[in-house]
Amino acid sequence: MKLVQWLPVVLAVVLLMGCRSYALFTPLDNYLITCGSSGNVTFQGRTFVPDSDHSSIVLKSGTSIVATSNSGAPSPIYQSARIFTGIGSFKFDIEQEGRHWVRLYFFPLQKSGQNLASASMSVVADDFVLLNNFSFKNYNGSYMFKEYAINVTSDVLTLTFIPSNGSVAFVNAIEVVSIPDSVLPDQALAVNPSSPFSGLSGLAFETVYRLNMGGPVITSQNDTLGRTWEDDEKYLHVNSSAVKVSVSPKNIKYPAAVTPETAPNWVYATAQSMGESNVTNENFNITWVFTVDPSYMYFVRVHFCDIVSRALNTLVFNLYINDDAALTSFDMSSITGDLDVPMYKDYVANSSGGSDSLTVSVGPDSAADATDAIMNGLEIMKISNDVGSLDGLASVNKILPSSPSKHMKTGVIVGSAVGAVAAVALIGLCYCCLASRKSKTTPNQGHPWLPLPLYGNSQTMTKMSTTSQKSGTASCISLASSNLGRIFMFQEILDATNKFDETLLLGVGGFGRVYKGTLEDGTKVAVKRGNPRSEQGLAEFRTEIEMLSKLRHRHLVSLIGYCDERSEMILVYEYMANGPLRSHLYGTDLPHLSWKQRLEICIGAARGLHYLHTGAAQSIIHRDVKTTNILLDENFVAKVADFGLSKTGPSLDQTHVSTAVKGSFGYLDPEYFRRQQLTEKSDVYSFGVVLMEVLCTRPALNPVLPREQVNIAEWAMTWQKKGMLDHIMDPNLAGKVNMASLKKFGETAEKCLAEYGVDRPSMGDVLWNLEYALQLEETSSALMEPDDNSTNHISGIQLTPIEPFDNSVSMIDRNSVTDDDAEDAATSAVFSQLVNPRGR
């Protein structure tokens, strides 16, 4: 009788053993802390405990205060805060060493007794810098959530909050949660060049993007690791290029190597697919574009699950990260062995061509009989740099004052090492004397061109030219013998930049870091030092030197020389005192440019590009026209810079150059992107984006804006076609722009941004029309403020309007002028070289 009673239980146990099940992950370390609160707070289905009540936390609170306020707080977790008036820290007891999520919540409470909105602070986690001099004053958002993955290698994790510049530091809530060892790897595949990248476990990650492709937002309470997955639509480069597909989450069959901790089944149950998308060309790619910091590397995890096929081996496609093929002819089912089985791939990549964007694309494999491609999920994490920072170039030792005990330890170490160093120095001095004596007896030789290693360890002494590669013979190419500019010794570069002093840093680009330098004769220069980890390397270095050595123009940045000593790739340019155009448009506190200044800058850049397209023996296509590559000298004269991606244009018997897509998203010619056919009109499109950026003072791509506003080219064109461009221009220009000039400017930008290259004007036409817009502006100013010498006072002179090069701009019929055209007609009536103060 007892056996009969227990039989259902036994059967249930047997059935459970026969079925694969996944229990929810239970982290050994699971700190959910609400800071400054007097009681527990429930947030997204989880309970946060006050920091003052937790027995496993040591809070150095001697210099901290608490504040509570629900005024404007987006949720209960942000209604209290702990405020540090001096350096403060939390110490968490760690039971399980390894990767941990460190999640921080920030919201500047309005009634806290402190001005938290302008507070400047740094945050350090053991050996890693998480935030450096962060302030909400420069942050585009009312609250901030940050998620980091840090490998804890001791039984204590210390989070330290450091007020900057006499300010305060604060935090509203903290999470410290264990991550399963299998979730984040130690090794991934570097994309460019393709090679294994090891040692990730010793680096810190910051989650930048985590997307659920084709599906809804997944909140932390629906993820076993408390992660949030956002919708992907606002990151799609072309919204119509993808179709959402989904199946029931119950259909997902997790294999042994993938668990719900990798990603929830809701991620794998939805996807973006090419399917029946609204794109005429079947060989297009679905592309997502992300804004990133170009000075960091990124861990990229791509999630796949074939939920669209009805049979195995029918879905074959390619995966691209930036311009590089990460997967080719990828047949998912050949790896998983079944449909609805999730998998993922891990990569390490930089930004696209050193720009502030990173792109991920999927597209059909031309060699396979298939026209579909999918992606289910995507994670992008910033990787800490060489000094252990995720925000800037300062290490923990520079941000945190050293304690006395550390000073004592350092003194002991230094003292014990002095003897060894002295001995080595003595040996080195003897060696240098011998080497110096030997060099004096050696005849002086020319400086050969040495192909420079991208990663600092190549000893190759020759470079294969394109021709010799095809023929199988090598030719040593000497730049020094080609009169390509001054060759600098590395010591000269060190002296000019004070050993690359970070206080002289001007900026960071795709090739590397740019420093201000001063040569021995007092000449100010800009020194661009190649970064071995950059995607741009020897090819771009050589292109820049060869291009600029042949080009001399007032509106092109001049190359003074280069240095290729000690495996370095260093370029030395003329110094541009006012930096990139972008810094004068947004993101800084520099004075606003007037409308006339903006027109003159655009005209200068257009002259430089026009010279590239027409002034050399064969046209040159810049391929990376953007506001950061237009530099301004001390007189705000615009000069086009950065020719590392430039390409020689088509010959007379060609219409285009077929080449891989390179450039910066947001500025990229859509026709070039689709067809990989490059023409001068690709630069014209990019310049059209620059014109709109100059007018609207916002980035070319801004994913945080509503979907219809993300891409400035698309957004501005909708207003231009309504004739309402003044509604979106920089508010600082309101009432200060001649409307006829603005109208001409808008028409010029619109033609530049035409979808097809044949419909776009040449740079010569663009230049003419911008000069015409400047004439309109100057004439308007002259009419409003006439002086005694103005020709407007001379009677009896017939003023003949200038007819612009563009035939679409016609003479005004005064008999058909409407009230709306009155201003244009009045202004147009006075155009002549007599009225125009500049002349032509």
Side-chain angles (χ1 to χ4, degrees):
M1 186 69 179
K2 290 183 179 179
L3 181 61
V4 174
Q5 290 177 341
W6 282 99
L7 187 58
V9 177
V10 173
L11 288 173
V13 171
V14 172
L15 287 171
L16 286 171
M17 291 176 65
C19 298
R20 182 148 194 161
S21 63
Y22 296 95
L24 291 177
F25 170 71
T26 304
L28 283 180
D29 299 308
N30 188 27
Y31 294 99
L32 306 178
I33 308 300
T34 174
C35 301
S37 177
S38 58
N40 293 352
V41 173
T42 301
F43 179 65
Q44 293 185 344
R46 298 175 298 161
T47 300
F48 285 69
V49 179
D51 54 4
S52 56
D53 294 349
H54 210 294
S55 59
S56 298
I57 296 177
V58 177
L59 171 63
K60 290 189 176 180
S61 58
T63 57
S64 73
I65 57 178
V66 297
T68 58
S69 171
N70 59 7
S71 177
S75 64
I77 199 70
Y78 294 105
Q79 291 180 1
S80 65
R82 183 159 300 271
I83 303 171
F84 297 93
T85 56
I87 297 176
S89 64
F90 294 88
K91 291 190 176 182
F92 298 87
D93 291 338
I94 300 300
E95 293 188 29
Q96 178 182 353
E97 294 184 9
R99 287 276 190 188
H100 285 66
W101 296 122
V102 174
R103 297 176 175 130
L104 305 176
Y105 299 77
F106 300 95
F107 175 71
L109 296 174
Q110 297 176 5
K111 299 178 181 179
S112 61
Q114 300 283 342
N115 186 5
L116 301 185
S118 61
S120 179
M121 59 182 167
S122 299
V123 182
V124 167
D126 286 346
D127 298 326
F128 297 102
V129 177
L130 308 185
L131 292 173
N132 184 16
N133 287 333
F134 169 78
S135 173
F136 268 90
K137 185 166 59 175
N138 302 319
Y139 180 71
N140 184 20
S142 60
Y143 66 95
M144 183 173 73
F145 168 75
K146 288 284 188 178
E147 180 184 82
Y148 306 93
I150 296 174
N151 194 16
V152 183
T153 57
S154 66
D155 57 359
V156 174
L157 169 67
T158 303
L159 285 178
T160 306
F161 295 80
I162 307 109
S164 307
N165 305 321
S167 181
V168 297
F170 72 95
V171 63
N172 300 81
I174 302 173
E175 293 183 46
V176 176
V177 183
S178 301
I179 305 175
D181 293 336
S182 60
V183 169
L184 293 173
D186 181 66
Q187 186 179 85
L189 183 66
V191 175
N192 187 356
S194 182
S195 61
F197 188 103
S198 302
L200 291 173
S201 59
L203 304 173
F205 291 174
E206 177 188 345
T207 304
V208 186
Y209 300 97
R210 183 180 287 123
L211 307 182
N212 179 24
M213 266 60 177
V217 174
I218 300 174
T219 62
S220 58
Q221 63 192 107
N222 295 314
D223 182 292
T224 56
L225 297 186
R227 296 164 296 193
T228 298
W229 303 72
E230 64 173 317
D231 178 24
D232 70 299
E233 280 199 8
K234 67 179 178 181
Y235 304 104
L236 276 169
H237 182 56
V238 179
N239 291 330
S240 60
S241 64
V243 175
K244 294 180 180 181
V245 293
S246 63
V247 298
S248 170
K250 297 178 182 178
N251 291 5
I252 304 305
K253 311 165 191 171
Y254 281 103
V258 185
T259 70
E261 278 70 59
T262 309
N265 57 2
W266 265 111
V267 171
Y268 294 116
T270 63
Q272 291 282 18
S273 164
M274 292 176 67
E276 301 296 329
S277 57
N278 186 26
V279 177
T280 55
N281 182 3
E282 291 185 351
N283 292 318
F284 73 96
N285 294 333
I286 310 175
T287 300
W288 292 264
V289 184
F290 306 94
T291 301
V292 295
D293 185 337
S295 54
Y296 287 86
M297 294 186 300
Y298 292 86
F299 174 78
V300 180
R301 171 168 288 180
V302 191
H303 297 271
F304 297 109
C305 187
D306 188 352
I307 59 175
V308 298
S309 300
R310 297 187 177 182
L312 297 179
N313 309 115
T314 58
L315 181 63
V316 182
F317 59 93
N318 300 327
L319 168 69
Y320 304 92
I321 298 178
N322 297 326
D323 301 326
D324 304 301
L327 285 172
T328 56
S329 301
F330 176 50
D331 180 0
M332 199 186 316
S333 58
S334 66
I335 299 174
T336 60
D338 200 355
L339 304 178
D340 300 330
V341 176
M343 62 171 294
Y344 62 90
K345 291 286 186 179
D346 293 336
Y347 301 94
V348 171
N350 294 82
S351 62
S352 175
S355 67
D356 57 358
S357 64
L358 185 150
T359 64
V360 181
S361 310
V362 290
D365 181 33
S366 57
D369 187 20
T371 58
D372 202 359
I374 69 167
M375 187 185 298
N376 302 72
L378 182 67
E379 296 176 82
I380 300 176
M381 295 182 172
K382 184 193 292 185
I383 302 174
S384 58
N385 58 19
D386 293 339
V387 298
S389 175
L390 287 160
D391 186 12
L393 300 171
S395 65
V396 171
N397 292 333
K398 287 187 177 181
I399 293 177
L400 264 179
S402 300
S403 63
S405 60
K406 285 185 179 179
H407 281 304
M408 292 176 64
K409 291 178 182 177
T410 303
V412 171
I413 294 172
V414 171
S416 61
V418 164
V421 172
V424 173
L426 183 61
I427 294 171
L429 181 62
C430 295
Y431 176 79
C432 290
C433 291
L434 290 173
S436 175
R437 186 173 300 175
K438 183 178 179 181
S439 65
K440 290 180 180 179
T441 63
T442 304
N444 196 18
Q445 299 178 354
H447 191 98
W449 165 256
L450 302 180
L452 300 171
L454 267 174
Y455 291 86
N457 55 8
S458 172
Q459 299 301 318
T460 307
M461 301 300 289
T462 60
K463 178 171 176 65
M464 299 286 286
S465 68
T466 305
T467 305
S468 62
Q469 282 178 356
K470 292 180 180 177
S471 62
T473 62
S475 63
C476 186
I477 302 172
S478 174
L479 284 181
S481 62
S482 304
N483 191 26
L484 299 182
R486 175 178 170 181
I487 303 171
F488 287 89
M489 305 299 289
F490 187 64
Q491 186 60 48
E492 291 181 90
I493 301 295
L494 289 177
D495 293 341
T497 60
N498 193 21
K499 298 181 180 178
F500 298 105
D501 188 344
E502 291 302 320
T503 61
L504 298 175
L505 184 68
L506 296 174
V508 180
F511 182 78
R513 306 165 76 77
V514 184
Y515 297 85
K516 181 180 179 180
T518 306
L519 301 181
E520 286 184 355
D521 61 0
T523 303
K524 296 286 190 297
V525 293
V527 178
K528 184 190 289 187
R529 186 185 192 188
N531 178 5
R533 291 182 175 178
S534 169
E535 290 187 7
Q536 296 187 31
L538 180 59
E540 287 77 12
F541 181 60
R542 180 179 178 81
T543 299
E544 186 94 357
I545 295 172
E546 291 182 335
M547 287 290 184
L548 282 178
S549 65
K550 297 183 293 186
L551 302 172
R552 283 293 181 269
H553 190 272
R554 182 170 185 257
H555 294 287
L556 299 181
V557 170
S558 297
L559 178 71
I560 296 175
Y562 65 92
C563 171
D564 62 355
E565 208 180 292
R566 302 190 195 179
S567 296
E568 293 278 353
M569 293 183 288
I570 297 174
L571 298 165
V572 181
Y573 304 89
E574 64 173 314
Y575 176 62
M576 303 294 285
N578 279 306
L581 170 59
R582 178 178 295 184
S583 63
H584 295 269
L585 299 175
Y586 52 86
T588 66
D589 296 327
L590 295 174
H592 302 292
L593 297 172
S594 68
W595 179 238
K596 182 181 177 182
Q597 282 181 305
R598 299 184 202 208
L599 287 173
E600 289 175 337
I601 289 167
C602 291
I603 288 170
R607 284 178 180 154
L609 292 171
H610 180 49
Y611 171 77
L612 287 180
H613 293 177
T614 61
Q618 190 169 357
S619 67
I620 295 171
I621 305 171
H622 188 280
R623 251 204 321 180
D624 200 17
V625 178
K626 54 185 178 181
T627 49
T628 51
N629 286 341
I630 298 172
L631 305 182
L632 307 175
D633 69 7
E634 65 277 6
N635 298 316
F636 284 89
V637 173
K639 302 192 180 189
V640 179
D642 201 342
F643 293 81
L645 299 181
S646 297
K647 194 85 173 173
T648 303
S651 56
L652 291 175
D653 59 343
Q654 295 177 314
T655 59
H656 63 269
V657 177
S658 296
T659 180
V661 176
K662 287 187 180 293
S664 301
F665 271 91
Y667 300 90
L668 202 57
D669 170 14
E671 187 176 45
Y672 169 41
F673 180 77
R674 290 193 303 265
R675 303 173 65 185
Q676 298 187 7
Q677 295 180 351
L678 182 68
T679 70
E680 292 91 344
K681 298 297 183 70
S682 299
D683 280 351
V684 174
Y685 181 91
S686 302
F687 190 71
V689 179
V690 168
L691 294 179
M692 285 307 181
E693 205 171 343
V694 166
L695 178 68
C696 303
T697 57
R698 52 145 288 188
L701 287 178
N702 190 347
V704 304
L705 294 174
R707 188 172 65 183
E708 67 276 4
Q709 298 181 26
V710 169
N711 187 312
I712 193 174
E714 297 175 0
W715 176 62
M717 280 304 93
T718 59
W719 288 93
Q720 164 62 19
K721 288 172 182 176
K722 296 176 187 176
M724 302 169 67
L725 205 56
D726 57 311
H727 285 58
I728 62 168
M729 71 179 184
D730 182 0
N732 294 293
L733 296 176
K736 303 175 184 177
V737 177
N738 173 262
M739 296 310 294
S741 174
L742 177 62
K743 181 179 179 182
K744 190 62 192 170
F745 185 91
E747 290 172 352
T748 305
E750 182 178 8
K751 289 171 184 174
C752 291
L753 295 172
E755 183 175 358
Y756 300 104
V758 293
D759 298 326
R760 298 174 200 148
S762 67
M763 280 310 305
D765 296 347
V766 174
L767 173 58
W768 212 105
N769 281 283
L770 288 175
E771 289 178 331
Y772 183 57
L774 180 60
Q775 285 185 346
L776 286 163
E777 178 64 24
E778 289 181 331
T779 305
S780 172
S781 300
L783 286 173
M784 292 176 65
E785 299 178 8
D787 55 43
D788 293 338
N789 297 321
S790 172
T791 55
N792 294 318
H793 294 288
I794 303 175
S795 60
I797 294 181
Q798 182 80 25
L799 300 182
T800 305
I802 298 173
E803 182 178 353
F805 186 86
D806 183 354
N807 293 329
S808 66
V809 180
S810 59
M811 299 290 289
I812 294 179
D813 181 359
R814 288 166 177 76
N815 296 323
S816 60
V817 172
T818 65
D819 292 339
D820 293 337
D821 297 330
E823 183 177 3
D824 290 352
T827 308
S828 300
V830 293
F831 280 138
S832 76
Q833 294 182 14
L834 292 173
V835 173
N836 178 22
R838 290 166 46 93
R840 283 193 57 77

